[in-house]
Amino acid sequence: MITHFHLDHYGLAGRVKELSGARLYLHEREAHLVRFRYQTPEGFWARMQAWLRQHGAPEAELERLGDGAMTRPVTRAALPDVVLRGGEELAADGRRFRVIFTPGHSPGHVCLYSEAEEILIAGDHVLPTITPNVSLHPDGAENPLGEYLESLRAVAELRVRLVLPAHEYTFGDLPRRVREILEHHAERNRQIIGTIKDRPRTAYEVASLIPWNLGPWETFTAWTRRMALMETLAHLRYLESTGQVRSAAENGIVYWQAGP
Ligand SMILES: [Zn+2]
Ligand SMILES: [Zn+2]
């Protein structure tokens, strides 16, 4: 059972399946991304470059922004034997788990929940100190941050005494961690709106103006800038969906401005 298709979770799934004969469980949206991103990645980077250009990435950075480092390591991209949609009951070693559809960090991210033991296997949905990355992709969900905030609030409603995340360490107080992450995104939204109150800007400009805990924008690698741009775009798309921001294209470049 793979929580989502990112390389650090799914990367060896094909090998493990081959060596063990295990059946692979994955959400249907992730199965689509495996096909699209790992099995037939040829057109993906060209589309990604065009899309980044549209959002203001400078020409000199586009070559490096769009390299294939993200897809190259998957040599045996296996498709799921069992396609998940959320809500399924799975049994393993005497335990029962419910599949909870938690889109946002990835379009088809799922968690596993044991009601009897009050345990949540959280994947990358909720991590104890890292804020899970939520990015807009040219081939991803329409409004990933909107989906993320909704599925984040949903897991806070579950009775959970122990969270088993995929990174860092286990923790107990899920509602508190959910509140912290919600507050982080609210703060990000305020910062982003602040940069486009008086004039329209591209998402790339907005990303270069807001604070990042990695240090100043000038020191970022092309790869980090691309990640920051896609995270910023997830916020802008979310703010557009709530009517706080609007976008307009001019000569093929998209500009964002605060206001309905
Ligand atoms: Zn991930
Ligand atoms: Zn991860």
Side-chain angles (χ1 to χ4, degrees):
M1 217 294 299
I2 313 284
T3 57
H4 63 298
F5 85 110
H6 289 167
L7 285 180
D8 55 325
H9 301 259
Y10 166 87
L12 283 174
R15 286 278 291 164
V16 171
K17 194 176 135 75
E18 237 176 59
L19 294 171
S20 67
R23 288 193 303 163
L24 185 64
Y25 289 66
L26 192 67
H27 191 273
E28 60 177 349
R29 280 178 159 191
E30 304 298 276
H32 170 74
L33 286 162
V34 164
R35 234 176 259 121
F36 191 67
R37 206 76 74 75
Y38 298 151
Q39 292 189 330
T40 54
E42 299 76 26
F44 173 66
W45 290 103
R47 277 196 299 283
M48 176 68 101
Q49 278 196 344
W51 185 75
L52 294 168
R53 184 178 290 120
Q54 201 181 36
H55 287 294
E59 218 51 48
E61 268 177 38
L62 282 172
E63 266 314 302
R64 283 168 296 154
L65 281 171
D67 74 22
M70 247 169 74
T71 55
R72 224 178 283 131
V74 182
T75 48
R76 294 178 183 82
L79 286 168
D81 302 292
V82 180
V83 173
L84 301 172
R85 291 184 176 83
E88 293 87 352
E89 296 281 343
L90 306 179
D93 197 21
R95 293 186 156 95
R96 296 197 67 81
F97 289 97
R98 189 161 84 237
V99 176
I100 316 274
F101 178 45
T102 49
H105 171 71
S106 176
H109 190 287
V110 295
C111 296
L112 285 182
Y113 176 55
S114 159
E115 197 164 7
E117 293 183 88
E118 299 179 0
I119 288 174
L120 184 72
I121 298 178
D124 283 354
H125 187 50
V126 195
L127 303 173
T129 75
I130 301 169
T131 314
N133 167 295
V134 178
S135 292
L136 191 71
H137 279 264
D139 62 338
E142 188 60 33
N143 180 8
L145 186 58
E147 290 193 337
Y148 180 69
L149 298 176
E150 196 179 312
S151 58
L152 195 58
R153 290 191 186 96
V155 294
E157 302 294 312
L158 301 170
R159 273 180 71 88
V160 172
R161 64 174 176 84
L162 183 66
V163 181
L164 306 175
H167 299 274
E168 301 189 293
Y169 47 83
T170 64
F171 61 100
D173 194 345
L174 179 60
R176 189 182 63 89
R177 185 61 191 134
V178 166
R179 278 196 302 278
E180 284 172 3
I181 297 174
L182 290 173
E183 181 43 46
H184 164 83
H185 286 294
E187 172 65 16
R188 277 322 241 172
N189 286 335
R190 286 190 288 273
Q191 290 167 344
I192 285 170
I193 288 174
T195 67
I196 48 175
K197 251 206 296 260
D198 303 322
R199 50 158 292 190
R201 294 184 191 276
T202 66
Y204 185 90
E205 282 180 282
V206 173
S208 72
L209 291 168
I210 56 178
W212 298 94
N213 59 14
L214 291 171
W217 179 259
E218 296 67 40
T219 63
F220 284 17
T221 62
W223 174 264
T224 311
R225 285 184 182 190
R226 190 175 67 97
M227 300 271 287
L229 170 57
M230 291 163 77
E231 249 185 76
T232 303
L233 275 164
H235 278 273
L236 288 166
R237 176 60 60 77
Y238 169 74
L239 290 167
E240 189 175 44
S241 78
T242 61
Q244 291 163 276
V245 152
R246 61 192 140 85
S247 65
E250 209 185 301
N251 299 325
I253 307 291
V254 180
Y255 293 89
W256 303 81
Q257 187 159 21

